[in-house]
Amino acid sequence: MGRRSNSSSHSGVATPDQPLLDSAFPHNGSLSDEHPSSFESGEARRRLSSSSSSGELTDFERAWSQRKWSYQLLALACALLISVGSHYSAHTLGALKSTIKKELDITNTQYGALQSTVSAVNTILPVLGGLFIDAFGTTAGSLIATSLIMFGNLIISISTHNRSFSAMVAGRILYGLGSGTITVVQETILGSWFKGKGLAITIAIQITTSRIASFLSMGTAIPIADRFGFYGAAFWANFVVCAVSFGINLVYMVTMRRIHSNTPEQAVAKLRRKHTFNPRLVFFLFGLYWLIVVQSFTLGGGWNSFLHINSELIKLRFGVNDSIAAWSASVSQIMPIFLVPFLGWFFDHFGLRTDMLVVSTSMFTISMVLLGFTMVNPLVGSVVFSVSLALGPLSEITAISLLLPTGSLGTGLGIYKSAMNIGSTIVDIVVGALQDHGPKVVEETKNSYRYAMAFFVIWGSASTIVAVVIFVVDRYKWSSLLRSNAQDRREAQHAVKDKINKPLLFATAPNWRSYAGFWNCVPLAVFSFLLVASWVLFAMKLA
């Protein structure tokens, strides 16, 4: 399974994007004799052993080990900053919901369709982007993504001057094409450059950076619009930040080219041999991985959709002005800034990823009850929601990183992100429709969100059930691999090594189709059905 390497696959590519670092993933152990056929006991062993590092370090690898930390720091800085523009632009629309509906003369359902433009595009793009990254590396993927984000925000900014709903939709599509890929690129870069403790900590820093950008976006959109007397000024600010992220991406690209220029051809060839991505792996991904994908669909979709409407919710339910509502809503992003860096250390020392998923889903449901059905200060509900937002993503991403081989990490994260966007697309449209048809008088009142918030409570409860199932499966079928800390992880990995090895064994078998049975296809079929359903809903509401 290529467990020793950390780099994405670069089959057919002349330049490597990542160095020869040890992997964050476990070493492969010996194979079980249970596997049916001589292929698995002979050829499969050869394939697995050829994927692992062997022999002594080369002169290049010794030299690399002496200076890799400086490249790692630069890669970390670039990986963190290339997505700032994307995250900063993500929540301006939500902060200005009331203004945009008035300026563009659209309904709540149309606004929901406008919001879901990004998530609809990204129902499939992260998977394609993940495949692209696994095949061609992160440099090309990041350059394309940051370009689309920048030009998409340029079109959105221009659309505010002529009050064009269609132009804003077009800009959001371009922005969505880039934003869905950039996070997969970012997490793949980190998963390729860092290992063990470093991986959890750097992903924690990445999530913190993205939440800081989102917090500032929600909090500054109204003040910027008020300062310039035009709501479009907030979108022009987005464009400037995206242009800066594009410039930082160019720095990363130059750095990768410099590394390649110093890399001997034999090292490049070795890197290719060790990291060949096999697309057949998607048919043999673990059931536990697919449960995390379901969690992304429910919990992730709920998070994103609520962040699109929480500013107006607070304004209507608690009777405050736009500025106060926007700042109160931005508190929903505050806890990840402080908790996530600590969680990186916590997962390394204590594990308990599945426990934190259960807590995260419970916190989400409680926050929906507080904000939708009580008059408790909205800051309380926003803080509870932000705790959920802090605990969940890092638990899920690091869990996927423990389960999947490096060569399929980009694709695995792409499916994870895609499921989140499918959920977000469906929930955005459903919430808009519930608000339009919910209890209200001539104009919107504090009761406008009653049906929508009841839906969020039910959605959160379903997500909690999924989290409990993940906890049970990990505990009794996977030797608590996801709950293990850094010290106990090796023992847990040894206990489930045969399960970890099976996908590569089957995917590389000449008769691989004979192993792809009915239950292997069910997750892909359900995923495809929900994907089509999200696009049908999106097309109906946008028309």
Side-chain angles (χ1 to χ4, degrees):
M1 268 181 134
R3 297 279 176 177
R4 287 288 304 272
S5 133
N6 276 61
S7 152
S8 297
S9 169
H10 308 290
S11 177
V13 182
T15 61
D17 285 320
Q18 285 86 28
L20 299 170
L21 297 178
D22 286 341
S23 176
F25 311 107
H27 298 290
N28 288 301
S30 59
L31 299 178
S32 169
D33 293 330
E34 297 174 1
H35 301 306
S37 89
S38 60
F39 164 79
E40 290 165 0
S41 60
E43 176 66 10
R45 290 175 185 268
R46 185 190 64 78
R47 289 178 181 270
L48 283 172
S49 62
S50 67
S51 296
S52 302
S53 295
S54 60
E56 298 180 355
L57 291 175
T58 65
D59 291 340
F60 168 74
E61 289 172 319
R62 291 194 188 94
W64 174 265
S65 66
Q66 295 174 4
R67 67 177 185 271
K68 67 182 181 183
W69 65 269
S70 60
Y71 287 126
Q72 283 178 304
L73 289 178
L74 182 58
L76 174 61
C78 290
L80 294 178
L81 296 176
I82 60 176
S83 69
V84 166
S86 173
H87 290 293
Y88 186 83
S89 306
H91 299 288
T92 302
L93 204 66
L96 293 167
K97 179 179 178 180
S98 296
T99 302
I100 289 171
K101 288 193 299 181
K102 179 180 178 181
E103 292 288 336
L104 301 183
D105 191 26
I106 58 177
T107 65
N108 286 299
T109 302
Q110 288 176 304
Y111 170 83
L114 178 63
Q115 275 284 19
S116 63
T117 301
V118 173
S119 55
V121 169
N122 287 309
T123 55
I124 187 61
L125 189 66
V127 180
L128 299 179
L131 290 168
F132 181 88
I133 293 163
D134 283 333
F136 299 105
T138 55
T139 300
S142 62
L143 185 63
I144 294 172
T146 52
S147 299
L148 290 170
I149 291 169
M150 181 175 65
F151 286 112
N153 275 279
L154 176 61
I155 294 174
I156 293 171
S157 301
I158 294 173
S159 73
T160 61
H161 291 274
N162 55 19
R163 299 180 178 180
S164 172
F165 177 69
S166 59
M168 186 171 286
V169 168
R172 293 276 294 174
I173 289 175
L174 283 180
Y175 163 71
L177 288 171
S179 65
T181 304
I182 195 65
T183 51
V184 178
V185 169
Q186 189 181 41
E187 288 159 6
T188 305
I189 290 173
L190 296 178
S192 300
W193 280 89
F194 296 91
K195 63 175 183 175
K197 296 180 180 179
L199 178 62
I201 293 172
T202 53
I203 290 179
I205 296 172
Q206 176 255 318
I207 294 174
T208 299
T209 304
S210 69
R211 293 307 171 191
I212 290 174
S214 298
F215 171 76
L216 292 176
S217 172
M218 295 183 72
T220 60
I222 297 295
I224 290 175
D226 291 343
R227 171 65 178 80
F228 291 92
F230 174 52
Y231 79 103
F235 292 98
W236 281 108
N238 292 348
F239 169 72
V240 172
V241 177
C242 291
V244 172
S245 289
F246 177 78
I248 292 170
N249 187 74
L250 294 179
V251 173
Y252 178 75
M253 183 176 67
V254 171
T255 302
M256 292 301 101
R257 289 185 179 275
R258 182 175 301 173
I259 291 175
H260 172 251
S261 66
N262 295 325
T263 305
E265 287 302 318
Q266 63 268 28
V268 176
K270 179 180 179 181
L271 192 61
R272 287 187 197 145
R273 290 194 303 270
K274 290 165 65 180
H275 313 301
T276 302
F277 168 66
N278 191 329
R280 300 172 189 168
L281 279 170
V282 297
F283 289 99
F284 303 105
L285 293 174
F286 318 113
L288 183 57
Y289 164 78
W290 284 112
L291 282 172
I292 297 173
V293 170
V294 174
Q295 184 74 294
S296 176
F297 171 78
T298 54
L299 185 59
W303 283 330
N304 289 340
S305 297
F306 179 74
L307 289 171
H308 295 162
I309 56 93
N310 62 338
S311 180
E312 187 184 55
L313 167 69
I314 293 174
K315 173 186 175 182
L316 294 177
R317 286 212 73 242
F318 298 93
V320 297
N321 61 37
D322 286 328
S323 182
I324 294 176
W327 275 111
S328 298
S330 69
V331 173
S332 299
Q333 305 271 5
I334 197 70
M335 291 307 291
I337 297 174
F338 301 103
L339 281 181
V340 169
F342 165 76
L343 286 172
W345 171 86
F346 180 87
F347 286 149
D348 273 329
H349 286 76
F350 300 101
L352 305 180
R353 293 168 185 81
T354 53
D355 304 68
M356 292 301 102
L357 273 180
V358 174
V359 175
S360 177
T361 55
S362 301
M363 288 291 190
F364 174 81
T365 306
I366 292 171
S367 69
M368 295 302 100
V369 173
L370 291 174
L371 290 168
F373 300 98
T374 75
M375 293 306 293
V376 174
N377 191 305
L379 292 177
V380 176
S382 295
V383 169
V384 173
F385 175 88
S386 70
V387 172
S388 170
L389 199 59
L391 297 178
L394 187 60
S395 301
E396 294 171 343
I397 293 170
T398 55
I400 291 174
S401 297
L402 285 174
L403 290 172
L404 297 185
T406 306
S408 61
L409 182 58
T411 302
L413 288 172
I415 294 173
Y416 165 82
K417 296 290 183 183
S418 180
M420 182 180 296
N421 285 305
I422 291 172
S424 182
T425 300
I426 294 173
V427 175
D428 271 339
I429 295 172
V430 169
V431 167
L434 287 173
Q435 190 181 357
D436 279 336
H437 297 88
K440 61 181 180 179
V441 289
V442 177
E443 56 186 38
E444 292 176 322
T445 70
K446 68 178 182 179
N447 293 319
S448 299
Y449 277 95
R450 182 183 298 172
Y451 289 178
M453 295 307 292
F455 171 81
F456 274 123
V457 171
I458 296 172
W459 195 256
S461 300
S463 183
T464 302
I465 294 173
V466 175
V468 171
V469 173
I470 292 174
F471 178 92
V472 172
V473 171
D474 176 62
R475 172 67 179 83
Y476 292 102
K477 299 294 185 180
W478 282 82
S479 299
S480 296
L481 174 63
L482 303 185
R483 296 190 78 237
S484 63
N485 57 22
Q487 182 177 355
D488 299 332
R489 192 176 303 148
R490 186 176 297 275
E491 181 179 348
Q493 288 166 346
H494 179 76
V496 297
K497 65 180 183 296
D498 291 334
K499 289 184 178 181
I500 292 176
N501 287 334
K502 271 188 179 182
L504 186 63
L505 287 169
F506 292 157
T508 56
N511 58 336
W512 66 273
R513 288 185 179 85
S514 64
Y515 299 122
F518 172 79
W519 291 109
N520 296 92
C521 299
V522 168
L524 291 173
V526 174
F527 180 86
S528 300
F529 171 79
L530 292 173
L531 171 64
V532 173
S534 67
W535 273 96
V536 170
L537 282 174
F538 172 68
M540 289 173 58
K541 299 304 179 182
L542 194 61

